[in-house]
Amino acid sequence: MVVRLRFAPSPTGYLHVGGARTALYNWLLARRHQGSFILRIEDTDISRSTEEAIQAIMEDLRWLGLDWDEGPEVGGRHFPYRQTGRYALYRDAAMRLLRDGKAYPCFCEPEELAERRREALKEGRSPMYDRRCLSLSEAEREARIRSGIPYALRFLVPEGEVTFTDLVRGEITFRNRDIEDFVLLRSDGSATYNLAVVVDDLDMEITHVVRGDDHLSNTPKQILLYRALGAEPPAFAHLPMIVARDGRPLSKRHGDVSVGSFREKGYLPEAMVNFLALLGWSLDDSTTIMDRRTLIENFSLERVSSKPAVWDEDKLLWMNSQYIMALGDRELAERVFPFLVRAGLVKDDDQKAFEVLLKATPLLRERIKVLGDAVHLVRFLFQEVDIEDDARTVLEDEVSERVLREAGKGLLELKEFTAPHIETTLREMAERLGLKPRQAFQPIRVAITGRKVSPPLFESMELLGRERCLQRIARAMESL
RNA sequence: GGCGCAUUAGUCUAGUUGGCCUAGGACGCCGCCCUCUCAAGGCGGAGAUCGCGGGUUCGAAUCCCGCAUGCGCUACCA
């Protein structure tokens, strides 16, 4: 069997990490079994859906490397891939159910229903729809329809129960009497979510529905719909939610968890994918770093955990640093460069600046966890320094002036201005002055980079060049 | 209120059919080494009576029952 999986976000906002993981698992499964991965936009809620959100979601998916075989911008046999425009399909299905006596019109007004719900809840009863419109006589029903009273279409939930095997959690049973006659078509004629997904998944021949845990309770309704439409339901798998440390669902309160924000901070998509994959799934008892290929070859729903995963940004950060360390010089420089541009340190097309960055890359690699970290580490290479306040105290030490003066002299006389020579000279100087390396080098570091923390001093100096090093040392002395 | 799902260290998890678990790996944390700062790296360490209470069994994190807690659904939202 050719598997077909889909990711069906509703474009009411950006893509967050939970959605990204759902998309990833679907994609992984599709790739693993040489099936299709479909992107479908669930914009039935027109008032909350935006075009920007659709674009942003697609951009984030592409950044993660989750390409879709069918969907917006790539097309496919089941066009269109957003629910707006598929109304006819939903209506046809609904009308078929109505004709078959599996659905019925409901004339109750929303306000009235809400009121009844409140009452039921207050009295401790289940707030289920009481089916009052089901008992309307045929004549009465006709009369109301003819007089133009707006009505919704409700699904007539049959008796019995629904049992299905969730690929993650096993067998689950719901009693139909706990399910109310839910609305299929709103009184304005639009389809509700439960009708739309079923019709779409059916039409798009989806074989596996892999989605968040929050849809588990919707599943029996959808299975009932499949049966009523005379179709076989797909396989279902419900992923545990991703929650914050306090155990609550991730939300804005817990910081920015949009995929885009991680991209902007300088996380690598491959690290993101690796980390996301491990949030609820594991290969074995010890493997943590896995490339895309390994993921594809090994991913399976059987090894998906059923308990909620806590979003642990510390671990993501560590993982990102692992991926950064594995990058080659040029590759890393190319990825870092745009961050320098954005920080205003260099111009987009500054080839010379890129070459400088490329040479600095080996000094950076083990010192940054996200690409954005590079900015403050290499700033001194592209900008005159402004000595930071807490670095100032280093210069206030009484030995500083002597160190800077001697260093300046030594460097001036240096034949070759390269890291090894600089190091030899400065170490000799330190010894001459009876100073520990740290005492001798910190003032120089501050003078050169403006900060107490920097890439290795001697290499940094070589990169900067003798001229500018001497200038900075002189300037630091003046400021004393 | 009803229904459903979940419960191994601060965190991600391993633990597929009960014994090889004196519960394994990773992040984080602590200490030492290395060292021009910061990292990276090396070595070592603390941290879980497997939510609680019963039961089945020679033997349970693993099976059964109950309870508690958390989360989800219970919309003419998705």
Side-chain angles (χ1 to χ4, degrees), chain A residues 49 370 414 444:
Chain A
S49 299
V370 292
L414 207 53
I444 303 175

Side-chain angles (χ1 to χ4, degrees), chain A residues 6 8 40-44 78 80-84 86-87 89-90 193-206 226:
Chain A
R6 46 57 164 197
R40 182 176 74 224
I41 306 296
E42 309 227 315
D43 56 353
T44 38
H78 304 278
Y81 288 89
R82 55 162 92 181
Q83 296 184 324
T84 324
R86 298 177 63 81
Y87 279 154
L89 243 33
Y90 310 141
Y193 167 72
N194 281 308
L195 205 222
V197 250
V198 169
V199 170
D200 286 341
D201 285 339
L202 214 44
D203 176 64
M204 296 181 182
E205 303 171 77
I206 300 303
Y226 278 102

